[in-house]
Amino acid sequence: MKYIILLLIFSNLLFADSDDIKANLEKLTSTEFGGRLPGTTGIDKAAQFIKEQFQEAGLKPINDSWFQEFSVKSGKKLSGENNLSFNIFIPRPGIPKEKLRPRTATWNNMVDWTPLQFSSNGSYNGEMIFVGYGISSESLAYDDYSNIDVAGKAVVILTDSPNGKSKTGKFARYSSMRYKISNAKEHNAAAVIFIKSQDDSANVLEKLDVNNRMSTNSGILAAQVSREKFIKYFPKNAGLLKLENSINETKKPASVTIDNKEISIIINIEDIKYPTKNIIGVLEGKNPNKYIFMGAHYDHLGVSNSGSSRYRDNPPKIHPGADDNASGVASMIEIANRLKNNKPEHSVIFAAWSAEEMGLLGSDNYVNNNFDLKENVLCYLNFDMVGRLTNSKLSILGTGTAEEFNDLINKTAEDYNFEISMIQTGMGPSDHSSFYKAKKPVLAIFSGIHSDYHTPEDTPDKINWEGMDSIINFSIDLFESIDKKGNLTFQEVQINEKSKTIRRGGSSVVMGVIPNYSDIDHGFIIDGVTPKGPAALAGLKGGDILIEVDGDKIVDIYDFMYSYWDKNPGDIVVVKVLRDNKDEPISLKVKLAAKE
């Protein structure tokens, strides 16, 4: 009888743990937290809830504070004067244009036109030239800028491509606005005016205040105008619809100057900034000055139908983010609870990161600005999307970042039925990358992608609770083996960093740099280079600011990506970088490699 009682007690403890995991996950995905978007009251409530769970797990704040606060950018807003008007000249025989008195038409901001998030601030007054889809491609023998000089002028560009909205046609890789912006700058245009291609949403203006990584300043004025209103400004013998249909049917450019019309545009926009916070707690170990980190991001997409969301219908919906990443946070809280009664050899820092979905901003901010424990960190364990285990398939990233990891993982896995995919690289689209860039061994636990990713359908009812509990048990056993092992030997992974190096789907080459998504006004920062990749062999280093490629000015990451868009493997490009806060640029020759 006593064995039955013991078994019942043990079973009840297990179920109590499972109930806690489920309760915490469901709380994080509740409507009260509104999808946990940085800058909202919902994520602030989530942060407070996580802090309370850390407290209940016996964790202590670091330096008397649970929160590490920072700000994030989330879209743009109007700031100061924003005007768009047109001067329309009626030709008269024998009278030069400069002596004609134009008729002025002023358009309503946010109704007839809008600045685009990636616009610079400034003004332009002058000619307009229609340049079709704004594409230049040697490989396709197609150039909307051929035989036409747009230097110092405004270019009018259609969205999409001659393939329409197709994502598979030969022009598809040239359809993004940021490519078209970079190409316009390469041709020395002064401003870019976008018109939507013909479809049901042709007059719908882009939103200015949504979170979007594309919102970094492009270094050129950029706006979108109402197709319905602007179409009237095209010449009668060369109407927009006629030109557009011609390009689509013949796949040949049809660029033309928009005669007798001048545009006057003033744009002033600024970043919308919101405060947000990481939540940090520590479980003191027997060796209190050596640390193992465990982390999971708690932010998600909020109420959305744009940006990173894969949901595009109306109205916008709450994205609960049950697997991404309430599952990781709930797992981390559970691990903290299970460890609190057995003091580990090393202290354990638990971190709930904010703004991961915006580009690992929370963990990057901590590592770059508050990582005073860096020298005493043994390794970092990441939990991101651990709630949808299917067919016992579990992925672990970062297995090559410490010499000892493979043996430790294989030994731990002997007691489990997982089919483990061991991925060596320490880079990837989650917070472990921030620690790997700081040259710390990392492991990232991941149960796999699914069709509900970044949609409102990522809900708690689809969580594999039993699988999640198995992952938690495995992670605790793995942690204990690392904790017992102590010092680890960091390794840079000598393979192509597929998950995070800058690559383009349609390009045949790779340079092998790891981007930093910080928005600066003079180039873009690289966080590192692929070991033995083209950039590394040329001498580029993490922290370099790229400002020029083959004579083309680089304002941001998009300029850089498109600067070698049509290059071939073996081509050599001259890159200029700023290094170590010095004003004098360094020139380096990079031999591009074939994309694998």
Side-chain angles (χ1 to χ4, degrees):
M1 183 68 178
K2 65 181 179 181
Y3 296 111
I4 295 174
I5 292 171
L6 286 171
L7 181 61
L8 287 171
I9 292 171
F10 182 68
S11 298
N12 285 336
L13 285 172
L14 286 179
F15 282 122
D17 288 341
S18 297
D19 287 345
D20 287 344
I21 297 167
K22 186 174 182 180
N24 287 336
L25 189 147
E26 289 180 341
K27 180 70 172 179
L28 287 165
T29 58
S30 65
T31 56
E32 178 186 2
F33 294 165
R36 310 184 305 279
L37 179 71
T40 64
T41 57
I43 198 171
D44 289 340
K45 291 179 180 179
Q48 185 65 28
F49 172 75
I50 294 167
K51 185 201 83 169
E52 291 168 0
Q53 298 310 303
F54 278 5
Q55 287 175 312
E56 288 185 18
L59 305 186
K60 302 296 182 184
I62 294 179
N63 298 327
D64 299 320
S65 175
W66 290 99
F67 301 129
Q68 186 230 338
E69 298 184 350
F70 61 102
S71 64
V72 295
K73 299 174 184 177
S74 184
K76 298 290 181 78
K77 62 181 179 181
L78 301 179
S79 173
E81 187 177 6
N82 286 272
N83 289 320
L84 178 69
S85 62
F86 296 91
N87 286 330
I88 301 147
F89 298 87
I90 308 299
R92 294 184 180 179
I95 300 177
K97 178 183 173 181
E98 57 270 17
K99 298 218 174 160
L100 294 173
R101 177 176 292 180
R103 177 173 62 85
T104 299
T106 301
W107 285 19
N108 293 320
N109 191 6
M110 312 307 286
V111 177
D112 304 322
W113 76 284
T114 181
L116 292 171
Q117 283 191 335
F118 44 81
S119 178
S120 63
N121 290 333
S123 63
Y124 168 79
N125 184 72
E127 290 184 64
M128 298 180 289
I129 299 177
F130 174 69
V131 290
Y133 291 98
I135 295 170
S136 299
S137 171
E138 291 183 15
S139 61
L140 297 180
Y142 180 97
D143 187 359
D144 282 312
Y145 289 89
S146 63
N147 302 317
I148 195 160
D149 181 14
V150 302
K153 301 171 185 175
V155 291
V156 178
I157 300 177
L158 287 163
T159 59
D160 303 318
S161 80
N163 293 130
K165 295 186 179 298
S166 171
K167 302 299 183 184
T168 58
K170 64 182 182 179
F171 287 96
R173 70 188 181 107
Y174 299 96
S175 63
S176 80
M177 283 186 172
R178 288 307 295 250
Y179 161 74
K180 297 179 182 191
I181 284 285
S182 291
N183 198 31
K185 291 196 302 181
E186 191 171 329
H187 288 86
N188 299 312
V192 178
I193 309 299
F194 282 103
I195 309 176
K196 284 195 173 180
S197 58
Q198 48 187 310
D199 66 12
D200 292 339
S201 64
N203 297 303
V204 177
L205 299 178
E206 297 290 319
K207 293 180 179 179
L208 191 61
D209 61 352
V210 298
N211 174 53
N212 193 330
R213 283 189 189 176
M214 286 178 60
S215 65
T216 55
N217 186 335
S218 65
I220 190 172
L221 294 170
Q224 180 202 347
V225 295
S226 162
R227 180 185 173 101
E228 182 180 21
K229 291 199 70 170
F230 194 84
I231 200 169
K232 300 170 185 177
Y233 292 163
F234 277 79
K236 290 183 179 179
N237 62 343
L240 175 59
L241 189 60
K242 180 180 178 180
L243 295 171
E244 187 176 4
N245 287 338
S246 172
I247 298 170
N248 294 347
E249 291 168 9
T250 66
K251 302 298 186 286
K252 293 181 179 179
S255 301
V256 62
T257 299
I258 301 177
D259 290 327
N260 302 313
K261 312 290 189 307
E262 290 183 354
I263 187 172
S264 178
I265 186 168
I266 300 172
I267 293 178
N268 287 287
I269 57 176
E270 65 181 31
D271 293 315
I272 300 173
K273 293 184 179 181
Y274 293 109
T276 191
K277 56 181 76 76
N278 299 322
I279 308 104
I280 315 287
V282 63
L283 175 65
E284 189 172 292
K286 296 174 185 176
N287 183 347
N289 298 317
K290 290 284 187 180
Y291 303 92
I292 295 174
F293 262 85
M294 292 194 193
H297 77 88
Y298 73 103
D299 67 302
H300 198 51
L301 306 183
V303 181
S304 182
N305 62 352
S306 61
S308 297
S309 172
R310 295 172 55 239
Y311 171 75
R312 286 292 185 267
D313 294 334
N314 283 309
K317 289 186 178 181
I318 289 178
H319 288 54
D323 187 30
D324 184 18
N325 184 37
S327 68
V329 176
S331 296
M332 182 175 62
I333 291 170
E334 183 61 25
I335 291 170
N337 274 296
R338 295 190 193 180
L339 291 180
K340 67 182 177 182
N341 294 324
N342 295 297
K343 199 167 191 176
E345 293 296 322
H346 304 88
S347 294
V348 188
I349 295 178
F350 293 86
W353 308 116
S354 185
E356 185 268 359
E357 302 286 7
M358 296 178 171
L360 318 184
L361 300 185
S363 55
D364 264 353
N365 185 279
Y366 184 84
V367 170
N368 293 332
N369 298 309
N370 296 274
F371 204 17
D372 52 347
L373 309 171
K374 185 184 295 185
E375 297 305 318
N376 296 315
V377 172
L378 299 180
C379 70
Y380 172 82
L381 307 181
N382 193 64
F383 301 90
D384 193 352
M385 297 180 66
V386 293
R388 293 281 197 102
L389 188 70
T390 304
N391 299 323
S392 298
K393 293 182 178 180
L394 184 66
S395 294
I396 305 179
L397 291 81
T399 58
T401 63
E403 188 178 296
E404 300 82 3
F405 274 159
N406 281 352
D407 288 343
L408 293 172
I409 293 168
N410 288 329
K411 182 65 176 175
T412 304
E414 289 177 359
D415 296 328
Y416 294 86
N417 293 319
F418 294 127
E419 182 183 330
I420 298 179
S421 173
M422 306 220 318
I423 301 162
Q424 293 190 53
T425 178
M427 290 302 299
S430 194
D431 295 296
H432 59 286
S433 296
S434 301
F435 285 79
Y436 177 65
K437 289 182 292 188
K439 300 191 181 302
K440 293 298 170 185
V442 299
L443 291 176
I445 315 295
F446 174 53
S447 63
I449 200 72
H450 47 78
S451 61
D452 297 325
Y453 171 73
H454 279 200
T455 75
E457 305 307 314
D458 183 9
T459 50
D461 58 297
K462 297 174 183 175
I463 294 295
N464 178 351
W465 301 107
E466 183 178 348
M468 192 168 154
D469 197 59
S470 295
I471 291 172
I472 290 170
N473 290 330
F474 170 80
S475 299
I476 291 172
D477 288 347
L478 180 58
F479 159 78
E480 289 177 344
S481 68
I482 294 171
D483 187 43
K484 183 178 179 181
K485 181 70 176 176
N487 291 329
L488 299 172
T489 309
F490 173 74
Q491 298 180 144
E492 280 196 283
V493 179
Q494 302 295 317
I495 62 172
N496 191 13
E497 302 279 14
K498 292 182 180 179
S499 60
K500 208 44 174 157
T501 54
I502 297 178
R503 308 159 66 97
R504 300 303 300 172
S507 178
S508 63
V509 296
V510 63
M511 190 175 288
V513 301
I514 301 167
N516 178 298
Y517 291 101
S518 299
D519 186 9
I520 62 175
D521 59 4
H522 58 291
F524 94 96
I525 305 170
I526 63 170
D527 268 337
V529 293
T530 303
K532 297 185 179 179
L537 295 174
L540 274 79
K541 299 178 180 180
D544 283 348
I545 301 174
L546 290 112
I547 59 170
E548 191 175 297
V549 176
D550 272 356
D552 293 334
K553 185 179 179 182
I554 304 299
V555 172
D556 55 25
I557 188 173
Y558 301 96
D559 287 344
F560 176 71
M561 289 190 297
Y562 298 123
S563 68
Y564 59 95
W565 183 262
D566 277 331
K567 301 293 185 182
N568 297 308
D571 285 352
I572 294 175
V573 295
V574 178
V575 175
K576 288 187 178 182
V577 302
L578 298 177
R579 181 176 292 170
D580 299 330
N581 296 316
K582 295 179 180 178
D583 295 331
E584 187 66 28
I586 300 170
S587 293
L588 300 166
K589 293 182 179 180
V590 182
K591 186 177 181 180
L592 301 172
K595 175 176 152 185
E596 297 177 1

